[in-house]
Amino acid sequence: MDKNIWTRHKIIRLAIIFIPIVFAIFLFGSLVMSRKEPEKLPPEEKARAVRIIRMQPVEFIPRAVGYGTVEPDQVWNAVAEVSGKVVETSTLLEKGAFCRPGETLIRIAPEEYHLVITQMEADIQETIAQLAELKRQDENFKASLKIEEKTLELIRRELERNKKLFKRGVISSSEHERQEQVYNTQLTKIQNLKNSLKLIPANRRKLNAKLSSDEARLKDAKLDLEYTTIQAPFDCRISAVKVERGQFVSRGEVLAIADGTRVVEITGQFPIDKLINVFRNDAAKMPSDVFKPQEIREIHNLTPVVRFSSGDFSTFWEARFVRSDATIDPVTRTVGIIVAVDNPYKHKQQKDQPPLVRGMFCEVEIKGRKIPNVLVIPRMALHAEYVFVIGQDKRLVKKPVEIDFTQSNLVVIRQGLQSGDMVVVSDIIPAIEGMLLEPMVDEKLELRLVAEARGDTPIK
């Protein structure tokens, strides 16, 4: 009996375990048999957001940037033209001081040169007196010659009478000979007077030459006296002082150096390829022979600008083209273009603008003649010889272009793009032709490109 009860209990436990398992298997099989195949949906294409610019013709000004150091147009070396002791120096003779034309800066002791002038004037007066004396001698000799010639005529007549008397035997031969001796003596006196008169022109020329020499030496002495006073020759600023009061200076010694303040020059060194962009559009107008700076300025309409930057401070000056350098720099292989700024100490285009002084390292920008109706893109939009544009249905199109030239961040397109094309400026990775795009116009970049093309912003 107990055994049968235990068997029933065992069967019940097994049933409790296996019945749920069998039911789960049956249910799972039913679900598997009754399931539906998943619905297949077509793949959805997602558009890529990109920035674009719209092509439009702009007015382009070719520009080139070079760098150079400010130098004064005029530099005055105050050289001592006479020797002597410095007896006076002006209060303006200080480094950094400004001087006007004619202001006296240095005086050298003039006493020695006053003495030389006095001596030269005395020598001139002596020579003038000698010339006057020579003139009187000439007059005296001529008057004496007339008298002696009259006396000679009387003696000759007396000699003629003696000859007749001697022939008749009235007088002795000795008396006749004495008369002949008197006649010969008178001839000698006349000849001496004539010789003296002939020497007077030579003596006069000698004294006149001496007078000219003395006058020249007097002028030289007066110049030396003037040279003892050293004055500023033009508007300038003292840049170096090399003399002190009481110092003895020698002829040819540099006493001070001053820079002109009316004009400064900057020799900007430009890469040759950048200058070609400025001059290329007017090449046909250039004369075949050597031309003057004025002709270059008029043909290319050059308008230079000088800029100076230091930290956060930046300023600029309008300049003018002066000339080009005669040689190419052998180290940098650049061409020197010389520009000038007038009145650098008064020429102010901005508030608190400093003057252009010697040694300032500046940027020189040269603008050429305007080129109308040009298509430009930013350099970042160019991929080798292609650009990406938005095609039909907002699809990416790879378009070949021909480049005219580049300038800083700009690329001038000769062929390949048209007005209205939408050029992609975003960096697409990977860039697959035909991919769907979501274009967004970058208006700020468009405005920046137009401003840079027209020369309204500095070249970076």
Side-chain angles (χ1 to χ4, degrees), residues 35-63:
R35 72 176 179 173
K36 296 181 179 181
E37 291 291 330
E39 184 178 357
K40 295 183 178 180
L41 299 176
E44 182 179 357
E45 185 176 10
K46 187 176 181 181
R48 177 80 171 270
V50 293
R51 293 180 300 112
I52 65 164
I53 57 172
R54 297 160 295 190
M55 288 291 94
Q56 56 179 338
V58 298
E59 188 179 69
F60 187 85
I61 297 180
R63 297 182 288 169

PDB file of all heavy atoms in Angstrom, residues 35-63:
ATOM      1  N   ARG A  35       4.824  32.545 -37.967  1.00  0.00           N
ATOM      2  CA  ARG A  35       5.470  33.861 -38.100  1.00  0.00           C
ATOM      3  C   ARG A  35       5.448  34.334 -39.559  1.00  0.00           C
ATOM      4  O   ARG A  35       5.432  33.515 -40.472  1.00  0.00           O
ATOM      5  CB  ARG A  35       6.910  33.772 -37.624  1.00  0.00           C
ATOM      6  CG  ARG A  35       7.816  33.009 -38.541  1.00  0.00           C
ATOM      7  CD  ARG A  35       9.256  33.055 -38.046  1.00  0.00           C
ATOM      8  NE  ARG A  35      10.119  32.294 -38.942  1.00  0.00           N
ATOM      9  CZ  ARG A  35      11.430  32.261 -38.844  1.00  0.00           C
ATOM     10  NH1 ARG A  35      12.031  32.929 -37.860  1.00  0.00           N
ATOM     11  NH2 ARG A  35      12.154  31.549 -39.697  1.00  0.00           N
ATOM     12  N   LYS A  36       5.534  35.733 -39.756  1.00  0.00           N
ATOM     13  CA  LYS A  36       5.552  36.352 -41.072  1.00  0.00           C
ATOM     14  C   LYS A  36       6.972  36.843 -41.393  1.00  0.00           C
ATOM     15  O   LYS A  36       7.728  37.212 -40.514  1.00  0.00           O
ATOM     16  CB  LYS A  36       4.594  37.529 -41.117  1.00  0.00           C
ATOM     17  CG  LYS A  36       3.131  37.120 -40.934  1.00  0.00           C
ATOM     18  CD  LYS A  36       2.253  38.355 -41.023  1.00  0.00           C
ATOM     19  CE  LYS A  36       0.779  37.959 -40.873  1.00  0.00           C
ATOM     20  NZ  LYS A  36      -0.091  39.151 -40.976  1.00  0.00           N
ATOM     21  N   GLU A  37       7.293  36.822 -42.695  1.00  0.00           N
ATOM     22  CA  GLU A  37       8.584  37.331 -43.145  1.00  0.00           C
ATOM     23  C   GLU A  37       8.668  38.844 -42.881  1.00  0.00           C
ATOM     24  O   GLU A  37       7.687  39.567 -43.062  1.00  0.00           O
ATOM     25  CB  GLU A  37       8.779  37.088 -44.646  1.00  0.00           C
ATOM     26  CG  GLU A  37       8.956  35.624 -44.993  1.00  0.00           C
ATOM     27  CD  GLU A  37      10.281  35.101 -44.471  1.00  0.00           C
ATOM     28  OE1 GLU A  37      11.248  35.916 -44.393  1.00  0.00           O
ATOM     29  OE2 GLU A  37      10.365  33.918 -44.149  1.00  0.00           O
ATOM     30  N   PRO A  38       9.841  39.457 -42.445  1.00  0.00           N
ATOM     31  CA  PRO A  38       9.963  40.909 -42.215  1.00  0.00           C
ATOM     32  C   PRO A  38       9.829  41.684 -43.523  1.00  0.00           C
ATOM     33  O   PRO A  38      10.293  41.226 -44.568  1.00  0.00           O
ATOM     34  CB  PRO A  38      11.356  41.072 -41.616  1.00  0.00           C
ATOM     35  CG  PRO A  38      12.118  39.878 -42.075  1.00  0.00           C
ATOM     36  CD  PRO A  38      11.113  38.747 -42.138  1.00  0.00           C
ATOM     37  N   GLU A  39       9.196  42.844 -43.432  1.00  0.00           N
ATOM     38  CA  GLU A  39       8.963  43.680 -44.609  1.00  0.00           C
ATOM     39  C   GLU A  39      10.273  44.407 -45.008  1.00  0.00           C
ATOM     40  O   GLU A  39      10.935  45.020 -44.184  1.00  0.00           O
ATOM     41  CB  GLU A  39       7.886  44.713 -44.286  1.00  0.00           C
ATOM     42  CG  GLU A  39       7.523  45.561 -45.488  1.00  0.00           C
ATOM     43  CD  GLU A  39       6.425  46.548 -45.142  1.00  0.00           C
ATOM     44  OE1 GLU A  39       5.938  46.515 -44.009  1.00  0.00           O
ATOM     45  OE2 GLU A  39       6.076  47.361 -46.009  1.00  0.00           O
ATOM     46  N   LYS A  40      10.668  44.303 -46.233  1.00  0.00           N
ATOM     47  CA  LYS A  40      11.892  44.929 -46.748  1.00  0.00           C
ATOM     48  C   LYS A  40      11.579  46.325 -47.267  1.00  0.00           C
ATOM     49  O   LYS A  40      10.783  46.493 -48.191  1.00  0.00           O
ATOM     50  CB  LYS A  40      12.506  44.079 -47.868  1.00  0.00           C
ATOM     51  CG  LYS A  40      13.001  42.729 -47.402  1.00  0.00           C
ATOM     52  CD  LYS A  40      13.670  41.969 -48.524  1.00  0.00           C
ATOM     53  CE  LYS A  40      14.209  40.635 -48.057  1.00  0.00           C
ATOM     54  NZ  LYS A  40      14.868  39.886 -49.162  1.00  0.00           N
ATOM     55  N   LEU A  41      12.230  47.373 -46.618  1.00  0.00           N
ATOM     56  CA  LEU A  41      12.043  48.765 -47.004  1.00  0.00           C
ATOM     57  C   LEU A  41      13.240  49.249 -47.836  1.00  0.00           C
ATOM     58  O   LEU A  41      14.379  48.822 -47.610  1.00  0.00           O
ATOM     59  CB  LEU A  41      11.904  49.654 -45.764  1.00  0.00           C
ATOM     60  CG  LEU A  41      10.718  49.340 -44.855  1.00  0.00           C
ATOM     61  CD1 LEU A  41      10.769  50.231 -43.619  1.00  0.00           C
ATOM     62  CD2 LEU A  41       9.401  49.524 -45.597  1.00  0.00           C
ATOM     63  N   PRO A  42      13.030  50.105 -48.830  1.00  0.00           N
ATOM     64  CA  PRO A  42      14.149  50.633 -49.630  1.00  0.00           C
ATOM     65  C   PRO A  42      15.074  51.496 -48.764  1.00  0.00           C
ATOM     66  O   PRO A  42      14.602  52.203 -47.870  1.00  0.00           O
ATOM     67  CB  PRO A  42      13.458  51.464 -50.713  1.00  0.00           C
ATOM     68  CG  PRO A  42      12.143  51.815 -50.123  1.00  0.00           C
ATOM     69  CD  PRO A  42      11.737  50.664 -49.251  1.00  0.00           C
ATOM     70  N   PRO A  43      16.406  51.482 -48.964  1.00  0.00           N
ATOM     71  CA  PRO A  43      17.353  52.294 -48.166  1.00  0.00           C
ATOM     72  C   PRO A  43      17.092  53.787 -48.362  1.00  0.00           C
ATOM     73  O   PRO A  43      16.834  54.249 -49.478  1.00  0.00           O
ATOM     74  CB  PRO A  43      18.729  51.896 -48.701  1.00  0.00           C
ATOM     75  CG  PRO A  43      18.471  51.373 -50.075  1.00  0.00           C
ATOM     76  CD  PRO A  43      17.113  50.715 -50.029  1.00  0.00           C
ATOM     77  N   GLU A  44      17.207  54.602 -47.264  1.00  0.00           N
ATOM     78  CA  GLU A  44      16.959  56.036 -47.283  1.00  0.00           C
ATOM     79  C   GLU A  44      18.296  56.781 -47.414  1.00  0.00           C
ATOM     80  O   GLU A  44      19.220  56.565 -46.628  1.00  0.00           O
ATOM     81  CB  GLU A  44      16.252  56.465 -46.010  1.00  0.00           C
ATOM     82  CG  GLU A  44      15.920  57.940 -45.978  1.00  0.00           C
ATOM     83  CD  GLU A  44      15.189  58.323 -44.703  1.00  0.00           C
ATOM     84  OE1 GLU A  44      14.897  57.428 -43.894  1.00  0.00           O
ATOM     85  OE2 GLU A  44      14.952  59.538 -44.524  1.00  0.00           O
ATOM     86  N   GLU A  45      18.451  57.706 -48.454  1.00  0.00           N
ATOM     87  CA  GLU A  45      19.680  58.470 -48.700  1.00  0.00           C
ATOM     88  C   GLU A  45      19.657  59.734 -47.855  1.00  0.00           C
ATOM     89  O   GLU A  45      18.679  60.482 -47.865  1.00  0.00           O
ATOM     90  CB  GLU A  45      19.804  58.843 -50.176  1.00  0.00           C
ATOM     91  CG  GLU A  45      21.120  59.519 -50.513  1.00  0.00           C
ATOM     92  CD  GLU A  45      21.248  59.789 -52.011  1.00  0.00           C
ATOM     93  OE1 GLU A  45      20.248  59.615 -52.733  1.00  0.00           O
ATOM     94  OE2 GLU A  45      22.358  60.186 -52.433  1.00  0.00           O
ATOM     95  N   LYS A  46      20.747  59.990 -47.135  1.00  0.00           N
ATOM     96  CA  LYS A  46      20.845  61.142 -46.262  1.00  0.00           C
ATOM     97  C   LYS A  46      21.720  62.220 -46.907  1.00  0.00           C
ATOM     98  O   LYS A  46      22.830  61.932 -47.370  1.00  0.00           O
ATOM     99  CB  LYS A  46      21.439  60.724 -44.917  1.00  0.00           C
ATOM    100  CG  LYS A  46      21.409  61.836 -43.885  1.00  0.00           C
ATOM    101  CD  LYS A  46      21.922  61.331 -42.545  1.00  0.00           C
ATOM    102  CE  LYS A  46      21.871  62.455 -41.512  1.00  0.00           C
ATOM    103  NZ  LYS A  46      22.384  61.995 -40.186  1.00  0.00           N
ATOM    104  N   ALA A  47      21.223  63.469 -46.938  1.00  0.00           N
ATOM    105  CA  ALA A  47      21.965  64.578 -47.551  1.00  0.00           C
ATOM    106  C   ALA A  47      23.047  65.090 -46.608  1.00  0.00           C
ATOM    107  O   ALA A  47      22.855  65.185 -45.405  1.00  0.00           O
ATOM    108  CB  ALA A  47      21.013  65.718 -47.921  1.00  0.00           C
ATOM    109  N   ARG A  48      24.201  65.476 -47.217  1.00  0.00           N
ATOM    110  CA  ARG A  48      25.339  65.990 -46.457  1.00  0.00           C
ATOM    111  C   ARG A  48      25.292  67.529 -46.474  1.00  0.00           C
ATOM    112  O   ARG A  48      25.222  68.149 -47.544  1.00  0.00           O
ATOM    113  CB  ARG A  48      26.645  65.505 -47.100  1.00  0.00           C
ATOM    114  CG  ARG A  48      27.911  66.012 -46.457  1.00  0.00           C
ATOM    115  CD  ARG A  48      28.258  65.235 -45.222  1.00  0.00           C
ATOM    116  NE  ARG A  48      29.569  65.584 -44.744  1.00  0.00           N
ATOM    117  CZ  ARG A  48      30.692  64.969 -45.115  1.00  0.00           C
ATOM    118  NH1 ARG A  48      30.642  63.994 -46.008  1.00  0.00           N
ATOM    119  NH2 ARG A  48      31.856  65.316 -44.619  1.00  0.00           N
ATOM    120  N   ALA A  49      25.316  68.163 -45.321  1.00  0.00           N
ATOM    121  CA  ALA A  49      25.268  69.624 -45.227  1.00  0.00           C
ATOM    122  C   ALA A  49      26.635  70.209 -45.586  1.00  0.00           C
ATOM    123  O   ALA A  49      27.661  69.790 -45.048  1.00  0.00           O
ATOM    124  CB  ALA A  49      24.854  70.060 -43.831  1.00  0.00           C
ATOM    125  N   VAL A  50      26.655  71.180 -46.521  1.00  0.00           N
ATOM    126  CA  VAL A  50      27.895  71.813 -46.960  1.00  0.00           C
ATOM    127  C   VAL A  50      27.671  73.320 -47.096  1.00  0.00           C
ATOM    128  O   VAL A  50      26.544  73.785 -47.296  1.00  0.00           O
ATOM    129  CB  VAL A  50      28.388  71.239 -48.304  1.00  0.00           C
ATOM    130  CG1 VAL A  50      28.822  69.802 -48.171  1.00  0.00           C
ATOM    131  CG2 VAL A  50      27.330  71.401 -49.389  1.00  0.00           C
ATOM    132  N   ARG A  51      28.771  74.079 -47.004  1.00  0.00           N
ATOM    133  CA  ARG A  51      28.726  75.519 -47.236  1.00  0.00           C
ATOM    134  C   ARG A  51      29.095  75.803 -48.693  1.00  0.00           C
ATOM    135  O   ARG A  51      30.001  75.160 -49.241  1.00  0.00           O
ATOM    136  CB  ARG A  51      29.691  76.254 -46.315  1.00  0.00           C
ATOM    137  CG  ARG A  51      29.310  76.191 -44.850  1.00  0.00           C
ATOM    138  CD  ARG A  51      30.306  76.940 -43.967  1.00  0.00           C
ATOM    139  NE  ARG A  51      31.671  76.399 -44.067  1.00  0.00           N
ATOM    140  CZ  ARG A  51      32.691  77.025 -44.604  1.00  0.00           C
ATOM    141  NH1 ARG A  51      32.529  78.237 -45.114  1.00  0.00           N
ATOM    142  NH2 ARG A  51      33.882  76.456 -44.623  1.00  0.00           N
ATOM    143  N   ILE A  52      28.430  76.790 -49.306  1.00  0.00           N
ATOM    144  CA  ILE A  52      28.684  77.122 -50.700  1.00  0.00           C
ATOM    145  C   ILE A  52      28.789  78.641 -50.847  1.00  0.00           C
ATOM    146  O   ILE A  52      28.368  79.399 -49.972  1.00  0.00           O
ATOM    147  CB  ILE A  52      27.573  76.602 -51.631  1.00  0.00           C
ATOM    148  CG1 ILE A  52      26.258  77.325 -51.315  1.00  0.00           C
ATOM    149  CG2 ILE A  52      27.435  75.101 -51.541  1.00  0.00           C
ATOM    150  CD1 ILE A  52      25.208  77.188 -52.389  1.00  0.00           C
ATOM    151  N   ILE A  53      29.393  79.067 -51.963  1.00  0.00           N
ATOM    152  CA  ILE A  53      29.370  80.478 -52.373  1.00  0.00           C
ATOM    153  C   ILE A  53      28.846  80.529 -53.796  1.00  0.00           C
ATOM    154  O   ILE A  53      29.068  79.614 -54.602  1.00  0.00           O
ATOM    155  CB  ILE A  53      30.764  81.127 -52.285  1.00  0.00           C
ATOM    156  CG1 ILE A  53      31.773  80.372 -53.137  1.00  0.00           C
ATOM    157  CG2 ILE A  53      31.223  81.236 -50.853  1.00  0.00           C
ATOM    158  CD1 ILE A  53      33.117  81.061 -53.246  1.00  0.00           C
ATOM    159  N   ARG A  54      28.150  81.609 -54.115  1.00  0.00           N
ATOM    160  CA  ARG A  54      27.582  81.786 -55.446  1.00  0.00           C
ATOM    161  C   ARG A  54      28.517  82.624 -56.297  1.00  0.00           C
ATOM    162  O   ARG A  54      28.964  83.696 -55.887  1.00  0.00           O
ATOM    163  CB  ARG A  54      26.215  82.461 -55.341  1.00  0.00           C
ATOM    164  CG  ARG A  54      25.186  81.634 -54.590  1.00  0.00           C
ATOM    165  CD  ARG A  54      24.052  82.487 -54.083  1.00  0.00           C
ATOM    166  NE  ARG A  54      24.513  83.448 -53.065  1.00  0.00           N
ATOM    167  CZ  ARG A  54      23.689  84.177 -52.326  1.00  0.00           C
ATOM    168  NH1 ARG A  54      22.383  84.060 -52.478  1.00  0.00           N
ATOM    169  NH2 ARG A  54      24.178  85.042 -51.449  1.00  0.00           N
ATOM    170  N   MET A  55      28.827  82.110 -57.492  1.00  0.00           N
ATOM    171  CA  MET A  55      29.741  82.818 -58.381  1.00  0.00           C
ATOM    172  C   MET A  55      29.068  84.053 -58.953  1.00  0.00           C
ATOM    173  O   MET A  55      27.952  83.987 -59.479  1.00  0.00           O
ATOM    174  CB  MET A  55      30.195  81.899 -59.522  1.00  0.00           C
ATOM    175  CG  MET A  55      31.164  80.805 -59.133  1.00  0.00           C
ATOM    176  SD  MET A  55      32.803  81.461 -58.676  1.00  0.00           S
ATOM    177  CE  MET A  55      32.637  81.616 -56.910  1.00  0.00           C
ATOM    178  N   GLN A  56      29.797  85.181 -58.830  1.00  0.00           N
ATOM    179  CA  GLN A  56      29.339  86.431 -59.407  1.00  0.00           C
ATOM    180  C   GLN A  56      30.551  87.246 -59.813  1.00  0.00           C
ATOM    181  O   GLN A  56      31.554  87.281 -59.097  1.00  0.00           O
ATOM    182  CB  GLN A  56      28.484  87.212 -58.414  1.00  0.00           C
ATOM    183  CG  GLN A  56      29.167  87.483 -57.091  1.00  0.00           C
ATOM    184  CD  GLN A  56      28.297  88.281 -56.139  1.00  0.00           C
ATOM    185  OE1 GLN A  56      27.379  88.963 -56.565  1.00  0.00           O
ATOM    186  NE2 GLN A  56      28.580  88.185 -54.855  1.00  0.00           N
ATOM    187  N   PRO A  57      30.510  87.896 -60.983  1.00  0.00           N
ATOM    188  CA  PRO A  57      31.668  88.695 -61.422  1.00  0.00           C
ATOM    189  C   PRO A  57      31.935  89.839 -60.449  1.00  0.00           C
ATOM    190  O   PRO A  57      31.015  90.505 -59.982  1.00  0.00           O
ATOM    191  CB  PRO A  57      31.235  89.222 -62.794  1.00  0.00           C
ATOM    192  CG  PRO A  57      30.135  88.319 -63.236  1.00  0.00           C
ATOM    193  CD  PRO A  57      29.426  87.888 -61.987  1.00  0.00           C
ATOM    194  N   VAL A  58      33.213  90.066 -60.142  1.00  0.00           N
ATOM    195  CA  VAL A  58      33.605  91.146 -59.242  1.00  0.00           C
ATOM    196  C   VAL A  58      34.691  91.983 -59.902  1.00  0.00           C
ATOM    197  O   VAL A  58      35.335  91.567 -60.869  1.00  0.00           O
ATOM    198  CB  VAL A  58      34.113  90.604 -57.891  1.00  0.00           C
ATOM    199  CG1 VAL A  58      33.028  89.833 -57.173  1.00  0.00           C
ATOM    200  CG2 VAL A  58      35.356  89.726 -58.089  1.00  0.00           C
ATOM    201  N   GLU A  59      34.883  93.170 -59.375  1.00  0.00           N
ATOM    202  CA  GLU A  59      35.972  94.054 -59.815  1.00  0.00           C
ATOM    203  C   GLU A  59      37.216  93.695 -59.013  1.00  0.00           C
ATOM    204  O   GLU A  59      37.228  93.814 -57.788  1.00  0.00           O
ATOM    205  CB  GLU A  59      35.564  95.508 -59.580  1.00  0.00           C
ATOM    206  CG  GLU A  59      36.516  96.511 -60.170  1.00  0.00           C
ATOM    207  CD  GLU A  59      36.038  97.931 -59.924  1.00  0.00           C
ATOM    208  OE1 GLU A  59      36.071  98.351 -58.741  1.00  0.00           O
ATOM    209  OE2 GLU A  59      35.608  98.597 -60.882  1.00  0.00           O
ATOM    210  N   PHE A  60      38.262  93.270 -59.719  1.00  0.00           N
ATOM    211  CA  PHE A  60      39.452  92.734 -59.041  1.00  0.00           C
ATOM    212  C   PHE A  60      40.618  93.698 -59.196  1.00  0.00           C
ATOM    213  O   PHE A  60      40.873  94.232 -60.276  1.00  0.00           O
ATOM    214  CB  PHE A  60      39.817  91.377 -59.632  1.00  0.00           C
ATOM    215  CG  PHE A  60      40.926  90.675 -58.904  1.00  0.00           C
ATOM    216  CD1 PHE A  60      40.659  89.908 -57.780  1.00  0.00           C
ATOM    217  CD2 PHE A  60      42.234  90.792 -59.336  1.00  0.00           C
ATOM    218  CE1 PHE A  60      41.680  89.264 -57.111  1.00  0.00           C
ATOM    219  CE2 PHE A  60      43.264  90.145 -58.670  1.00  0.00           C
ATOM    220  CZ  PHE A  60      42.975  89.384 -57.551  1.00  0.00           C
ATOM    221  N   ILE A  61      41.316  93.944 -58.086  1.00  0.00           N
ATOM    222  CA  ILE A  61      42.513  94.790 -58.094  1.00  0.00           C
ATOM    223  C   ILE A  61      43.720  93.907 -57.763  1.00  0.00           C
ATOM    224  O   ILE A  61      43.834  93.401 -56.642  1.00  0.00           O
ATOM    225  CB  ILE A  61      42.403  95.926 -57.064  1.00  0.00           C
ATOM    226  CG1 ILE A  61      41.238  96.849 -57.422  1.00  0.00           C
ATOM    227  CG2 ILE A  61      43.705  96.719 -57.006  1.00  0.00           C
ATOM    228  CD1 ILE A  61      41.054  98.001 -56.455  1.00  0.00           C
ATOM    229  N   PRO A  62      44.612  93.691 -58.720  1.00  0.00           N
ATOM    230  CA  PRO A  62      45.811  92.885 -58.425  1.00  0.00           C
ATOM    231  C   PRO A  62      46.714  93.609 -57.446  1.00  0.00           C
ATOM    232  O   PRO A  62      46.940  94.824 -57.570  1.00  0.00           O
ATOM    233  CB  PRO A  62      46.477  92.719 -59.794  1.00  0.00           C
ATOM    234  CG  PRO A  62      45.970  93.852 -60.608  1.00  0.00           C
ATOM    235  CD  PRO A  62      44.588  94.154 -60.108  1.00  0.00           C
ATOM    236  N   ARG A  63      47.225  92.877 -56.486  1.00  0.00           N
ATOM    237  CA  ARG A  63      48.062  93.470 -55.447  1.00  0.00           C
ATOM    238  C   ARG A  63      49.262  92.573 -55.163  1.00  0.00           C
ATOM    239  O   ARG A  63      49.225  91.368 -55.401  1.00  0.00           O
ATOM    240  CB  ARG A  63      47.264  93.682 -54.151  1.00  0.00           C
ATOM    241  CG  ARG A  63      46.107  94.658 -54.279  1.00  0.00           C
ATOM    242  CD  ARG A  63      45.393  94.855 -52.958  1.00  0.00           C
ATOM    243  NE  ARG A  63      44.601  93.699 -52.555  1.00  0.00           N
ATOM    244  CZ  ARG A  63      44.059  93.544 -51.362  1.00  0.00           C
ATOM    245  NH1 ARG A  63      44.268  94.453 -50.419  1.00  0.00           N
ATOM    246  NH2 ARG A  63      43.328  92.480 -51.084  1.00  0.00           N
TER     247      ARG A  63
END
